[in-house]
Amino acid sequence: MSATAPLRVACLGAGYFSWFHFDAWARIQEVTLIGAADHNLDAAAATGLPAFRDLKAMLDAATPDILDIILPPPSHAEAIRTAIDKGVKTIICQKPFCRDLTEATEMADAADAAGVTLLIHENFRFMPWYRAIKQSIDDGRIGRVLQATFRLRPGDGQGQHAYLDRQPYFRTMPELLIHETGVHWIDTFRYLFGNPTSVYADLRQINPVLAGEDAGFVLFDHPDGVRTLFDGNRLLDHSADNQRRTMGEALVEGTQGTLSVMGDGSVQHRAFGEQNLTTILPADRWDGFGGDCVCALQNHVVSGLLHGTEFANTAKDYLNVIAVRDAIYRSAKAGQKMRV
């Protein structure tokens, strides 16, 4: 049976990215925010919601319909276990999901056993430009897809002070480019072209202040002969008024034309034999993150709970993303293509 509005939402985590979550939830009419928890009580209180220093205290005060976990991976499993024990029936967990595939599988299985809906906050597939590309592909606008490339160019990984002002834990992550960022495009490529069957990766570290890799190439094989390339470099930038809107540029090529994602969030179509571009999605004017994809994902969850629409981002399905991520690192270490 579907739930009823308003859905009561509590959030765990009040760091940098959590503010996109809080803002989006506040704009959804079918939702009521009931609490925020963070080890930094002042940060939780700054949300204007009832503030708690830890998850258990927040769940002792009230059981939400949805718990939104907005923490780094090492904290995911404990938070999920606590929420399950406290009777929370729907949990959304930020990506990358848990510390490794074993832990992620354990959490997905634990949620299933308890009858809990566990979803992953993988928001890039909800960006409007990827939705427009998906619709264009399904409509046959560029014929049969042959290949696609995404060039990650956020320009935020330069210098001795990289990430200190926003997400300083990036600096100490032993796996950075793929584990933290590239998973977005693993999932987006899955959404557009199907689950990869094999990968080949060449990764490197450029900025010596970082513990993990910050640049590299990953080639994916998809069903029906589609190939995709993730070309990532966190030091380089691209032409955009906001480097974090699209974080780069994409080109999807089919047998009858191409689709391009530009740095302003617009999507352009070019038919073969033509020079002119046709705009199928205008430039994005959203001042926040990624075309308001956080809100789009949250609305997707709300629709699933209230109207029974199918969830696109279950933890069980997201295990595929983690398996691909692991294959990428194996490939980079071995210097050869890996089956997924």
Side-chain angles (χ1 to χ4, degrees):
M1 181 180 295
S2 298
T4 57
L7 297 171
R8 293 153 53 86
V9 175
C11 297
L12 175 62
Y16 161 75
F17 200 82
S18 70
W19 291 95
F20 297 109
H21 288 241
F22 286 111
D23 170 74
W25 285 125
R27 290 185 281 117
I28 299 175
Q29 290 185 339
E30 299 91 345
V31 161
T32 297
L33 283 163
I34 64 170
D38 195 281
H39 67 275
N40 181 343
L41 190 60
D42 290 340
T47 66
L49 300 170
F52 303 89
R53 198 179 298 277
D54 60 63
L55 176 59
K56 185 176 182 298
M58 182 166 66
L59 298 183
D60 283 342
T63 302
D65 297 301
I66 302 172
L67 174 67
D68 192 4
I69 299 173
I70 322 167
L71 299 174
S75 303
H76 290 173
E78 180 181 357
I80 292 167
R81 290 191 186 99
T82 299
I84 291 174
D85 290 345
K86 289 292 184 179
V88 178
K89 290 304 181 183
T90 301
I91 302 169
I92 307 174
C93 184
Q94 254 292 352
K95 47 60 60 186
F97 178 37
C98 292
R99 288 177 290 190
D100 53 40
L101 182 58
T102 298
E103 187 175 75
T105 302
E106 290 174 355
M107 292 303 98
D109 289 344
D112 279 356
V116 171
T117 300
L118 178 59
L119 308 168
I120 307 304
H121 188 99
E122 179 49 81
N123 50 48
F124 275 42
R125 66 162 62 198
F126 290 93
M127 289 176 171
W129 34 94
Y130 294 126
R131 294 279 151 166
I133 285 178
K134 176 66 170 173
Q135 187 63 57
S136 294
I137 291 172
D138 291 347
D139 290 345
R141 188 184 289 262
I142 61 170
R144 182 169 64 88
V145 176
L146 295 179
Q147 61 190 62
T149 301
F150 182 81
R151 298 168 64 249
L152 177 78
R153 300 291 189 269
D156 60 359
Q158 301 178 16
Q160 294 184 348
H161 303 291
Y163 307 115
L164 286 177
D165 61 337
R166 192 179 72 239
Q167 290 160 299
Y169 62 91
F170 278 15
R171 295 166 63 92
T172 58
M173 295 179 73
E175 298 174 337
L176 175 61
L177 177 68
I178 302 304
H179 174 64
E180 202 291 322
T181 309
V183 289
H184 286 305
W185 282 276
I186 295 173
D187 186 66
T188 300
F189 286 166
R190 291 174 65 237
Y191 166 63
L192 295 173
F193 312 116
N195 280 320
T197 56
S198 62
V199 296
Y200 176 78
D202 184 351
L203 308 177
R204 61 175 175 156
Q205 180 198 49
I206 300 175
N207 190 338
V209 305
L210 304 177
E213 82 286 355
D214 53 2
F217 299 95
V218 183
L219 181 65
F220 300 84
D221 291 329
H222 297 267
D224 301 320
V226 178
R227 280 194 165 186
T228 59
L229 174 66
F230 174 74
D231 167 8
N233 190 311
R234 297 211 64 140
L235 285 81
L236 303 180
D237 74 0
H238 63 291
S239 178
D241 64 315
N242 176 358
Q243 298 293 331
R244 289 176 59 75
R245 176 178 283 111
T246 64
M247 297 185 74
E249 300 167 343
L251 178 65
V252 182
E253 300 173 276
T255 56
Q256 298 176 19
T258 65
L259 297 165
S260 301
V261 177
M262 314 305 288
D264 61 5
S266 65
V267 178
Q268 309 290 333
H269 170 249
R270 185 185 68 83
F272 278 1
E274 301 290 336
Q275 294 185 4
N276 294 331
L277 299 177
T278 300
T279 299
I280 63 173
L281 182 72
D284 178 55
R285 300 303 180 194
W286 180 250
D287 289 334
F289 178 78
D292 209 13
C293 62
V294 172
C295 192
L297 182 150
Q298 292 171 351
N299 270 307
H300 173 79
V301 174
V302 169
S303 176
L305 293 177
L306 295 182
H307 308 298
T309 53
E310 185 178 0
F311 294 116
N313 49 341
T314 65
K316 278 289 189 184
D317 183 62
Y318 199 77
L319 297 177
N320 289 295
V321 174
I322 302 174
V324 174
R325 179 204 66 192
D326 291 350
I328 290 171
Y329 282 114
R330 291 198 305 272
S331 172
K333 184 176 181 179
Q336 62 187 41
K337 181 181 283 190
M338 291 289 174
R339 297 284 300 176
V340 178

